[in-house]
Amino acid sequence: PKALSAEFLDARRAASDDDVNKLRDLLTVYGEFPEKYRLLTWRKVLRLPDNEKAYETLASKGTHPAMADLPDRFPISDRSLLLRLQRICSCLSHYSPVFAESPVVPGMVFPFVKAFKTNETHAFEAFLTLVNNHARGWFELFPDPPFGHLAEVEAVVKFHDPQVAKRMESVPGGLQGAAWQLLSTLFTDVTTADEWLRLFDHVAVQGRAMLTHLAAAYVLIWRDAI
């Protein structure tokens, strides 16, 4: 793959279209971003604003009532990690009521909190960017799942293996239910921590279509186990 420009390492500069194309080539060859530059690459590809002031304003509102019992609902042995997750979920809840009400939010936020470690602003912004772009529309029908996106997953499965799609009609929740279980957890239930980081390398660069095809591919590959 072609080398990235020296300017790419400038955290203040967003990734150019040429940079993104080079990153796609890099993923094709190596399958993942270098660990040393992974978070910087995510920040630039996702175009995170790094607006610490806005995050601190939300954080100053304290623990949101909807997240007061998060330690009971989402038990984590690492106390520091749990508190960061609670703060970020509280900020999201102050930001939008739907994030306070949706039970899937803490699980979706968790891998970003873990990846960005103590930088809560970046974890917060990465989740919001995902929701506004890659997962656009996922919460518009809340409390129902995003039937439109799930139908896209179902269409991909039907195209590649109509028999699997037909058989999934008899499974509780159907094919769309299985797809939503994968998407609403951002695949954390079916990946290790390291696998998830590599997976999100591809999602960050490829966008919304990658989530659609990942869910479809999982159903097709594990057709006999689902």
Side-chain angles (χ1 to χ4, degrees):
K2 296 180 180 179
L4 292 162
S5 62
E7 289 81 6
F8 183 80
L9 297 180
D10 183 353
R12 297 166 298 179
R13 176 179 170 274
S16 66
D17 290 342
D18 186 53
D19 288 334
V20 173
N21 288 331
K22 290 176 181 178
L23 289 170
R24 289 195 180 103
D25 292 341
L26 187 152
L27 286 176
T28 299
V29 174
Y30 298 106
E32 63 181 310
F33 294 139
E35 183 178 356
K36 180 179 180 180
Y37 298 110
R38 170 172 281 130
L39 297 182
L40 172 64
T41 303
W42 288 5
R43 287 167 53 196
K44 292 171 73 66
V45 170
L46 298 175
R47 299 176 183 269
L48 302 188
D50 196 20
N51 192 336
E52 293 184 4
K53 184 176 181 180
Y55 178 76
E56 289 171 359
T57 298
L58 291 169
S60 68
K61 297 178 182 293
T63 301
H64 191 280
M67 296 299 159
D69 65 342
L70 186 63
D72 297 324
R73 292 189 285 124
F74 209 91
I76 303 174
S77 58
D78 186 332
R79 180 69 177 173
S80 176
L81 179 61
L82 174 60
L83 291 176
R84 293 201 304 275
L85 176 65
Q86 187 178 40
R87 278 195 297 271
I88 293 171
C89 287
S90 289
C91 288
L92 288 166
S93 299
H94 290 304
Y95 179 83
S96 174
V98 71
F99 296 140
E101 298 177 22
S102 175
V104 305
V105 167
M108 291 179 66
V109 174
F110 177 71
F112 295 108
V113 179
K114 196 169 184 180
F116 283 104
K117 297 182 170 54
T118 58
N119 197 313
E120 296 179 16
T121 299
H122 290 161
F124 172 85
E125 292 178 345
F127 173 79
L128 277 183
T129 300
L130 177 88
V131 169
N132 289 325
N133 293 282
H134 306 63
R136 185 176 61 258
W138 282 17
F139 295 95
E140 288 181 358
L141 300 178
F142 180 81
D144 291 326
F147 293 119
H149 196 179
L150 299 179
E152 294 175 19
V153 176
E154 188 171 33
V156 174
V157 174
K158 283 183 177 179
F159 177 82
H160 289 283
D161 196 330
Q163 291 184 338
V164 169
K166 181 67 176 178
R167 182 170 62 81
M168 289 293 291
E169 292 177 3
S170 62
V171 175
L175 196 158
Q176 291 193 15
W180 183 232
Q181 179 61 32
L182 294 166
L183 293 170
S184 66
T185 59
L186 291 183
F187 301 90
T188 54
D189 285 351
V190 295
T191 58
T192 65
D194 288 340
E195 288 171 344
W196 189 87
L197 293 173
R198 294 195 293 272
L199 180 147
F200 196 75
D201 287 344
H202 293 266
V203 172
V205 171
Q206 302 294 354
R208 177 185 177 86
M210 177 58 72
L211 289 171
T212 303
H213 287 85
L214 278 172
Y218 187 90
V219 171
L220 290 166
I221 292 171
W222 294 98
R223 55 172 66 86
D224 295 330
I226 297 178

